[in-house]
């Protein structure tokens, strides 16, 4: 801050005092500075920003947010579409596990056992394991949270593994249970021990909103050990319970509904009166326009196509409804806000692709896919998939079906459909050849089990070999493999083969020793080298006419 005229006047007789005055004023101004967002004034009078804890805020508003969000999903198409889009991208066909203990025999046994059990995983007997994933994900997005309870079964129930899981809505959790309990505490139905670890969930026996449950013992709740419950929700702060994902735009969804209803009513009202007839008959000179039916009775309700007879005049005037300006722009802007609140691209929420091209939609999906990837690996897999896998292995071990209760697992989320499959396939191919990815990683990204895919490929190739399948179409392929040229080996190979269909790659070193690249073609021999490429002939193939000719 610069000195003012008074500071200069003081400085003329007492320079040191003037300097202290200026410095003190600068220090005072520094203390009063702050964030504009924290300023208080007329513009922020109605801004309520309490400093309550996350649990307090969820405890006050959680139940009402759930009820309103469910109502919107039932009746608002955009809310229903947002929930469906998130569920389809997070789960898709299912997040699939594969045992990864390193023991091939054990892994195959566990995978086969899980495949059998997954068909009967639902305690209600309707969905398989992957259908449960979709239901749980929908409930997590729509209601904000969902509970999954372990249900152990008898060996006589005929299940591959004596275990099933039961999906419970968040309403089963007794939110009235809050306060101290022994040495621990209760927070909205969740019991914590003295160190803050979850110890139990207080659950109602029936849904509190069910008519039967309300008449029975809906006020009673009992603790269920936390080891029997998987609580799935998005943890945005340190809260114990979740909130609907669409909470930031609940009012926007409701306002858009009200706006569309008002606009529709206005259009219907304008369409009711087709024309007004102004007559000079004395019988028609009333205080206000009137409409009569065939019996002469007055009609006091507008209907489409009515003609009103007004007092005085000798003319007829037809109604001309005015066009509504800005309706499309307002709706598009509102849907952009709603899509941002749900963290879903506008194009996926509405299906409107009129404002995008290939490059923009591809770039827009990158961030969405990154968010989905984070939800899968940081939320859904650790909160639901991992506990269920642990329950499964423990139940299988207790039943004597596997030798250990702990089996490491790897999860394969569903693949993202490519906007341009050819470009994505070429990118994967280059990644494999450059060594930045493995074939197993690429297969896993497609949402499949690499071991199962490779075994299927091997079985198919063996079947084709047994059938001695021949092809009349010439086939060309190249194999790029890196070698140390100082050892007399080429670093790039290209084989052009005519005749029998080749299903796998084979290559040869320059010294004539053949080496298979995971295939059956072990008789490849070098015939000629030209410009860093090796032309090779397949000795096991039917004698081709052009097998030893290098490309020019």
């Amino acid at each position: 801050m610069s000195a003012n005229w008074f500071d200069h006047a003081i400085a003329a007789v007492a320079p040191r005092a003037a300097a202290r005055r200026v410095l003190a004023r600068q220090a005072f101004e520094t203390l009063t500075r702050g964030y504009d967002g924290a300023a208080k004034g007329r513009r922020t009078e109605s801004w309520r920003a309490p400093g309550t804890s996350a649990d307090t805020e969820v405890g006050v508003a959680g139940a009402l947010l759930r009820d309103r969000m469910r109502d919107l999903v039932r009746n608002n198409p955009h809310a229903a579409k947002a929930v469906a889009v998130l569920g389809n991208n997070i789960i898709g066909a299912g997040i699939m596990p594969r045992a990864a203990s390193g023991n091939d025999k054990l892994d195959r046994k566990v995978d086969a056992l899980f495949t059998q059990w997954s068909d009967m995983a639902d305690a209600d007997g309707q969905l398989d394991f992957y259908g449960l994933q979709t239901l749980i994900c929908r409930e997590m997005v729509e209601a904000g949270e969902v509970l999954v309870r372990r249900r152990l079964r008898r060996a006589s129930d005929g299940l591959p593994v004596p275990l099933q899981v039961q999906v419970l809505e968040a309403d089963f959790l007794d939110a009235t249970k809050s306060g101290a309990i022994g040495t621990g505490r209760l927070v909205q139905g969740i019991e914590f021990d003295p160190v803050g670890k979850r110890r139990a969930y207080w659950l109602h026996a029936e849904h509190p909103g069910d008519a039967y449950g309300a008449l029975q013992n809906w006020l009673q709740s009992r603790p269920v050990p936390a080891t029997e419950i998987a609580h799935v929700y998005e943890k945005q702060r340190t809260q114990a319970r979740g909130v609907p994902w669409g909470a930031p735009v609940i009012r926007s969804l409701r306002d858009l509904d009200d706006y569309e209803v008002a606009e529709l009513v206005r259009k219907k009202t304008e369409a009711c009166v087709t024309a007004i007839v102004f007559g000079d008959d004395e019988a028609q000179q009333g205080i206000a326009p009137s409409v009569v039916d065939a019996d002469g009775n007055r009609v006091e309700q507008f209907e489409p196509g009515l003609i009103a007879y007004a007092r005085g005049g000798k003319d007829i005037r037809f109604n001309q409804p005015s066009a509504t300006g800005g309706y499309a722009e307002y709706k598009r802007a509102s849907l952009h806000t709603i899509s941002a609140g749900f963290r879903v691209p506008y194009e996926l929420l509405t299906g409107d692709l009129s404002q995008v091209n290939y490059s923009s939609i591809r770039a827009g999906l990158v961030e969405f896919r990154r968010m989905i990837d984070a939800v899968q690996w940081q939320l859904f897999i650790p909160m639901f998939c991992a506990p269920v896998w642990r329950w499964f292995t423990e139940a299988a071990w207790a039943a004597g079906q596997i030798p250990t209760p702990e089996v490491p697992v790897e999860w394969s989320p569903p693949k993202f459909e490519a906007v341009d499959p050819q470009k994505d396939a070429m990118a994967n191919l280059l990644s494999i050849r450059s060594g930045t990815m493995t074939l197993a990683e690429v297969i896993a990204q497609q949402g499949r089990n690499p071991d199962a895919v490779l075994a299927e490929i091997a079985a198919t190739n063996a079947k084709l070999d047994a059938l001695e399948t021949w092809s009349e179409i010439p086939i060309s392929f190249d194999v790029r493999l890196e070698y140390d040229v100082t050892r007399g080996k080429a670093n790039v190979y290209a084989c052009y083969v005519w005749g029998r269909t080749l299903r796998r790659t084979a290559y040869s070193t320059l010294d004539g020793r053949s080496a298979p690249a995971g295939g059956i073609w072990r008789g490849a021999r070098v015939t000629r080298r030209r410009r860093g490429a090796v032309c090779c002939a397949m000795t096991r193939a039917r004698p081709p006419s052009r097998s030893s000719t290098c490309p020019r």
Side-chain angles (χ1 to χ4, degrees):
M1 177 182 291
S2 60
N4 55 32
W5 66 270
F6 192 65
D7 296 326
H8 288 289
I10 296 176
V13 295
R16 186 172 299 177
R20 288 198 301 267
R21 174 185 171 86
V22 173
L23 292 175
R25 189 162 60 250
Q26 290 177 348
F28 178 77
E29 184 180 352
T30 301
L31 292 174
T32 59
R33 289 177 182 173
Y35 291 98
D36 289 341
K40 296 182 179 180
R42 180 178 56 82
R43 296 174 58 191
T44 58
E45 287 178 351
S46 59
W47 192 340
R48 295 180 62 256
T52 52
S53 68
D55 288 326
T56 300
E57 293 174 358
V58 175
V60 172
L64 185 56
L65 287 174
R66 277 200 310 272
D67 295 340
R68 289 182 175 178
M69 193 71 243
R70 285 169 176 166
D71 179 75
L72 287 171
V73 172
R74 287 193 298 266
N75 299 292
N76 187 291
H78 303 299
K81 181 64 179 297
V83 173
V85 168
L86 288 168
N88 292 340
N89 282 271
I90 295 173
I91 303 302
I95 301 177
M96 302 180 181
R98 65 178 183 275
S101 65
N103 186 330
D104 292 340
K105 183 178 180 180
L106 176 61
D107 290 346
R108 287 194 298 270
K109 183 176 182 179
V110 173
D111 288 339
L113 191 61
F114 186 87
T115 300
Q116 296 175 8
W117 173 81
S118 63
D119 293 334
M120 304 179 183
D122 185 11
D124 293 335
Q126 293 182 306
L127 303 173
D128 64 1
F129 177 67
Y130 306 107
L132 289 175
Q133 289 183 358
T134 300
L135 175 62
I136 291 166
C137 182
R138 281 186 56 90
E139 191 66 20
M140 176 187 68
V141 174
E142 179 178 337
E145 57 183 341
V146 61
L147 303 174
V148 182
R149 185 173 182 179
R150 171 165 61 174
R151 292 293 192 179
L152 297 175
R153 303 305 188 196
R154 299 184 181 92
S156 58
D157 290 337
L159 298 173
V161 175
L163 168 73
Q164 288 183 318
V165 292
Q166 180 184 16
V167 179
L168 301 174
E169 291 185 339
D171 307 82
F172 277 86
L173 197 55
D174 189 356
T176 62
K177 297 289 186 181
S178 295
I181 178 171
T183 58
R185 62 190 180 98
L186 277 167
V187 179
Q188 301 170 44
I190 303 175
E191 182 178 339
F192 294 86
D193 63 13
V195 297
K197 183 179 180 181
R198 298 184 182 220
R199 186 161 55 192
Y201 289 81
W202 289 74
L203 302 180
H204 295 291
E206 302 289 342
H207 193 293
D210 184 73
Y212 174 79
L215 294 175
Q216 297 297 318
N217 53 355
W218 66 275
L219 290 177
Q220 300 179 5
S221 59
R222 295 180 180 179
V224 177
T227 55
E228 303 295 309
I229 299 294
H231 190 189
V232 187
Y233 69 101
E234 184 183 26
K235 200 163 188 174
Q236 298 176 336
R237 290 175 64 185
T238 58
Q239 79 271 21
R241 301 188 60 175
V243 295
W245 286 29
V249 289
I250 285 180
R251 291 184 59 180
S252 299
L253 285 163
R254 183 67 176 179
D255 290 343
L256 182 59
D257 273 347
D258 293 341
Y259 176 79
E260 290 188 332
V261 170
E263 186 65 26
L264 183 62
V265 171
R266 188 178 74 85
K267 285 294 185 181
K268 286 183 176 180
T269 303
E270 289 180 346
C272 283
V273 181
T274 302
I276 299 178
V277 177
F278 296 89
D280 57 354
D281 190 358
E282 291 294 334
Q284 298 177 357
Q285 295 182 7
I287 298 177
S290 62
V291 180
V292 295
D293 57 17
D295 299 328
N297 300 318
R298 177 176 295 184
V299 177
E300 297 181 347
Q301 181 177 357
F302 283 119
E303 294 180 3
L306 289 181
I307 298 178
Y309 288 82
R311 61 179 182 177
K314 301 179 181 180
D315 194 7
I316 180 171
R317 298 180 183 179
F318 289 92
N319 186 28
Q320 296 180 353
S322 60
T324 303
Y327 171 75
E329 291 77 8
Y330 172 78
K331 186 170 183 178
R332 186 179 296 111
S334 298
L335 290 176
H336 273 289
T337 301
I338 293 168
S339 63
F342 275 105
R343 290 165 282 179
V344 172
Y346 166 83
E347 291 74 21
L348 296 184
L349 179 69
T350 63
D352 179 15
L353 302 177
S354 61
Q355 306 295 320
V356 297
N357 53 32
Y358 170 79
S359 299
S360 62
I361 188 63
R362 186 181 177 87
L365 290 177
V366 169
E367 179 62 26
F368 176 66
R369 290 178 175 179
R370 186 178 290 113
M371 188 270 291
I372 293 296
D373 193 60
V375 171
Q376 291 170 340
W377 289 103
Q378 299 175 10
L379 194 162
F380 201 84
I381 290 177
M383 284 189 168
F384 170 70
C385 297
V388 171
W389 178 265
R390 185 174 64 252
W391 296 342
F392 165 77
T393 55
E394 290 176 356
W397 171 75
Q401 296 173 312
I402 59 176
T404 175
E406 296 182 0
V407 179
V409 62
E410 294 180 355
W411 297 94
S412 298
K415 69 173 183 178
F416 289 111
E417 297 296 335
V419 178
D420 190 334
Q422 182 179 6
K423 291 183 179 179
D424 287 356
M426 290 303 299
N428 290 334
L429 180 61
L430 292 175
S431 297
I432 295 174
R433 287 181 172 177
S434 63
T436 57
M437 292 184 67
T438 65
L439 179 60
E441 287 178 312
V442 173
I443 296 175
Q445 285 184 352
Q446 305 301 312
R448 301 190 65 187
N449 187 331
D451 295 334
V453 172
L454 295 177
E456 185 178 346
I457 292 175
T460 303
N461 288 336
K463 183 180 295 185
L464 292 175
D465 293 337
L467 295 175
E468 291 294 329
T469 305
W470 293 81
S471 173
E472 299 298 333
I473 303 175
I475 297 173
S476 65
F477 68 98
D478 60 359
V479 183
R480 294 180 176 84
L481 299 172
E482 296 296 331
Y483 284 88
D484 185 359
V485 294
T486 62
R487 297 185 180 181
K489 297 181 179 180
N491 62 343
V492 179
Y493 292 90
C495 295
Y496 294 82
V497 181
W498 294 67
R500 185 172 179 175
T501 302
L502 296 182
R503 293 174 299 280
R504 305 189 197 178
T505 302
Y507 58 89
S508 294
T509 59
L510 284 179
D511 56 8
R513 292 181 298 175
S514 62
I520 61 175
W521 301 100
R522 302 177 184 274
R525 59 182 175 81
V526 176
T527 59
R528 196 171 175 186
R529 180 177 181 179
R530 178 189 296 267
R531 295 180 183 177
V534 175
C535 300
C536 50
M538 310 308 296
T539 58
R540 288 187 55 185
R542 185 172 58 183
S545 59
R546 299 175 56 184
S547 61
S548 60
T549 303
C550 287
R552 299 185 181 276

